[in-house]
Amino acid sequence: MKNIKNLIEKLYFQSNLTDDELIILLTQRKSDDSEYLYELARKRQAEHYGNKVFIRGLVETSSYCKNDCFYCGLRRSNKCAQRYRLSKEQILSCCDEGHPLGFRTFVLQGGEDTFYTDNVLCDIISSIKNKYSDCAVTLSLGERSFESYKKLFEAGADRYLLRHETASPEHYSKLHPGEMSYNNRMECIKNLKSIGFQTGCGFMVGTPFQTMENIVRDLRFIKTFAPHMVGIGPFIAHHDTPFKDERQGSSELTLFLIAVIRLLLPAILLPATTALGTASKDGREKGVLAGANVLMPNLSPKDVRDKYLLYDNKLNSGEEAAENIRRLKQSIKDIGYEIVTDRGDSKAE
Ligand code: 5AD
């Protein structure tokens, strides 16, 4: 049996492991192994980003969604969900609020809402970029055509987040209705990168039916695809979805995977996600200490925040709220890191 410590060192020095070694690492790890892994992940993080942590202002643009993913509270079949969509003016005023707080990246995230045509989005993107030329715009608006992505890029969007959700086709089909396609999702992610976006993929930890083999496939996909950003967070059930009775994903495994991903791709941007903060006390801080270097406080208008519910108990106040950035800065300082006012571009190729 391979010694776990040796595997962690191999991962650190070679930025890679075989699939068999990854399985051993994930299934045979003990709690005292994680501290060592986190320490090496922090070293790699420091080589590329020092002790800097980047922040993104998250604007949740719409709770309408044409998709019906089994895990998500915004799925179209959820008749109890409260739906809203933000106008261009509302989105711009979120940016107006965020800029003086130090945000230099705005993330427009929303369900797949057909209201936002290419023209509507291009107008919003170019308005933000004209007003705030020192800022990056990140989109997280789901699957669109190649031509659409290209127009959004040409309108000035810098980055795009589209989690792959799972790199195993058979697992994908257990999380999504038959009308949704694994191949199309992967195609979209590849298109985004080829168009020139700083591209993010990612997956949930502990979704129903997920095996360690599935997770290894996710890690292999991430290593091979080499995105600029990777977002992972624990699955958390939403009470009005088919997965309402499913158990929550492990925060501990999520932290372990954040560190593994930092070592696989040392220069990428890795957020400590809201789901991680929701699932575990001090989840965000623990995420940073495991190798994460991005936080995404909520900059949405306050009256819509409790309507954008992907899962139960989603944090949207306290340090999760952009207006409380001072408190977040302090708690990050307390663990030896510094939140900076910076676009925070990826140092990954
Ligand atoms: N628990 C955790 N994360 C979720 N997401 C959607 N639903 C849930 C849930 N129930 C994640 C998906 C999606 C991102 C925006 O939020 O990975 O890509």
Side-chain angles (χ1 to χ4, degrees):
M1 195 180 87
K2 291 211 184 173
N3 182 302
I4 296 296
K5 194 163 174 259
N6 293 342
L7 286 181
I8 292 174
E9 283 170 359
K10 182 175 176 200
L11 175 58
Y12 173 72
F13 285 114
Q14 303 189 2
S15 303
N16 211 349
L17 286 179
T18 65
D19 288 0
D20 290 342
E21 290 168 334
L22 283 170
I23 280 282
I24 295 172
L25 178 64
L26 294 179
T27 53
Q28 298 180 18
R29 71 189 199 280
K30 303 273 180 314
S31 53
D32 42 333
D33 297 317
S34 9
E35 269 321 309
Y36 187 51
L37 177 74
Y38 298 164
E39 188 188 318
L40 297 184
R42 289 196 295 270
K43 267 197 197 175
R44 284 282 179 253
Q45 177 182 359
E47 281 166 18
H48 296 277
Y49 295 99
N51 71 340
K52 289 189 178 121
V53 171
F54 301 128
I55 48 168
R56 322 301 196 191
L58 184 63
V59 183
E60 294 161 333
T61 51
S62 173
S63 67
Y64 286 90
C65 191
K66 66 178 163 70
N67 290 331
D68 218 13
C69 309
F70 301 148
Y71 45 84
C72 182
L74 301 187
R75 65 199 304 269
R76 66 162 189 266
S77 300
N78 180 7
K79 301 294 177 235
C80 304
Q82 299 184 60
R83 309 290 176 173
Y84 73 89
R85 66 169 62 95
L86 301 183
S87 65
K88 172 184 164 187
E89 290 67 33
Q90 283 176 300
I91 294 171
L92 277 167
S93 68
C94 295
C95 302
D96 295 340
E97 201 158 304
H99 197 267
L101 294 174
F103 290 94
R104 294 296 178 269
T105 291
F106 301 113
V107 181
L108 311 188
Q109 179 175 92
E112 292 193 19
D113 180 351
T114 51
F115 170 83
Y116 296 93
T117 58
D118 294 344
N119 285 341
V120 169
L121 282 176
C122 288
D123 179 36
I124 295 172
I125 294 161
S126 56
S127 304
I128 299 175
K129 294 291 289 193
N130 280 336
K131 192 159 183 193
Y132 296 111
S133 57
D134 57 343
C135 290
V137 169
T138 302
L139 304 177
S140 177
L141 300 169
E143 298 177 19
R144 304 177 75 93
S145 68
F146 182 92
E147 292 69 34
S148 170
Y149 286 149
K150 201 158 169 44
K151 283 184 195 160
L152 304 178
F153 185 72
E154 283 161 2
D158 302 271
R159 312 187 185 127
Y160 205 107
L161 309 173
L162 184 67
R163 289 190 177 178
H164 63 284
E165 311 298 359
T166 170
S168 310
E170 70 288 355
H171 185 221
Y172 188 92
S173 69
K174 293 179 181 159
L175 304 180
H176 303 94
E179 75 217 18
M180 290 180 71
S181 141
Y182 169 84
N183 288 334
N184 191 56
R185 195 153 191 97
M186 286 301 192
E187 178 81 25
C188 284
I189 297 178
K190 287 170 189 160
N191 286 343
L192 289 163
K193 197 177 178 199
S194 76
I195 288 168
F197 283 104
Q198 291 180 41
T199 303
C201 63
F203 63 96
M204 289 172 280
V205 177
T207 41
F209 315 108
Q210 187 184 54
T211 62
M212 281 299 182
E213 285 73 18
N214 293 142
I215 293 179
V216 168
R217 246 174 275 169
D218 289 319
L219 296 174
R220 184 60 53 209
F221 167 70
I222 287 170
K223 175 71 184 170
T224 313
F225 180 64
H228 304 86
M229 312 172 272
V230 176
I232 68 168
F235 162 77
I236 304 173
H238 184 291
H239 62 279
D240 287 316
T241 63
F243 289 165
K244 63 179 180 338
D245 297 321
E246 301 288 342
R247 53 182 290 213
Q248 182 167 307
S250 157
S251 299
E252 185 269 327
L253 178 57
T254 304
L255 292 168
F256 198 87
L257 290 168
I258 286 176
V260 169
I261 294 168
R262 169 63 66 205
L263 294 181
L264 284 172
L265 293 171
I268 60 166
L269 296 164
L270 264 174
T273 57
T274 307
L276 181 60
T278 301
S280 116
K281 188 181 167 314
D282 302 325
R284 271 178 311 252
E285 290 79 2
K286 288 180 190 150
V288 171
L289 291 172
N293 62 337
V294 173
L295 297 169
M296 301 169 69
N298 197 321
L299 196 53
S300 308
K302 287 183 200 62
D303 61 312
V304 305
R305 283 189 198 170
D306 57 353
K307 301 190 177 103
Y308 194 83
L309 289 184
L310 308 178
Y311 45 82
D312 289 341
N313 306 315
K314 181 169 158 274
L315 295 185
N316 63 17
S317 59
E319 288 174 15
E320 203 53 44
E323 63 276 15
N324 296 332
I325 186 73
R326 249 190 231 111
R327 277 160 58 188
L328 186 63
K329 279 189 176 158
Q330 187 57 49
S331 69
I332 293 303
K333 204 170 170 190
D334 292 344
I335 58 165
Y337 287 80
E338 188 198 357
I339 286 183
V340 291
T341 296
D342 192 306
R343 275 172 54 116
D345 285 296
S346 175
K347 303 221 195 292
E349 296 290 297

